[in-house]
Amino acid sequence: MKEIPSGSSLEKEAPPSCFGDGDKVCPVDEEGIMQPQRGCLPCSYLRACLQKVMVHRGKIRVVDEQAGSKVGGFFKRWSDLKLKKNG
């Protein structure tokens, strides 16, 4: 049986201990602006980590999209939004 070479995409590494820690990854400055750290740029978990921080801080929310047409999804979201405003 062949061994998987080191660095292969099949090999899973655990996220670093700072994963999702907003105070370490992107602290907020005096003006309330988030400042991503340069040391985080080479991390392979950067996108997921920043997304977790943004969700935790209430800046974004993750919406699970159903499989289907993009146009159909757009009209469904638009319709839901209109019903919320009018209802």
Side-chain angles (χ1 to χ4, degrees):
M1 180 182 263
K2 290 185 177 180
E3 289 186 24
I4 298 173
S6 179
S8 169
S9 63
L10 298 175
E11 184 179 321
K12 299 277 183 176
E13 62 182 65
S17 61
C18 59
F19 181 81
D21 184 352
D23 295 331
K24 291 181 182 178
V25 176
C26 51
V28 178
D29 66 9
E30 306 83 36
E31 298 175 9
I33 299 173
M34 294 190 325
Q35 300 294 329
Q37 302 300 301
R38 288 189 188 269
C40 296
L41 292 178
C43 180
S44 60
Y45 288 94
L46 178 64
R47 182 177 180 165
C49 181
L50 291 176
Q51 184 178 24
K52 182 175 179 179
V53 171
M54 297 288 279
V55 167
H56 185 263
R57 290 182 176 170
K59 303 294 182 185
I60 62 172
R61 63 185 174 103
V62 178
V63 178
D64 294 330
E65 291 188 25
Q66 297 175 351
S69 166
K70 290 183 180 182
V71 174
F74 166 77
F75 283 115
K76 170 86 172 92
R77 290 188 305 273
W78 177 80
S79 175
D80 290 344
L81 182 65
K82 290 296 180 184
L83 288 172
K84 282 183 186 177
K85 285 184 179 180
N86 294 331

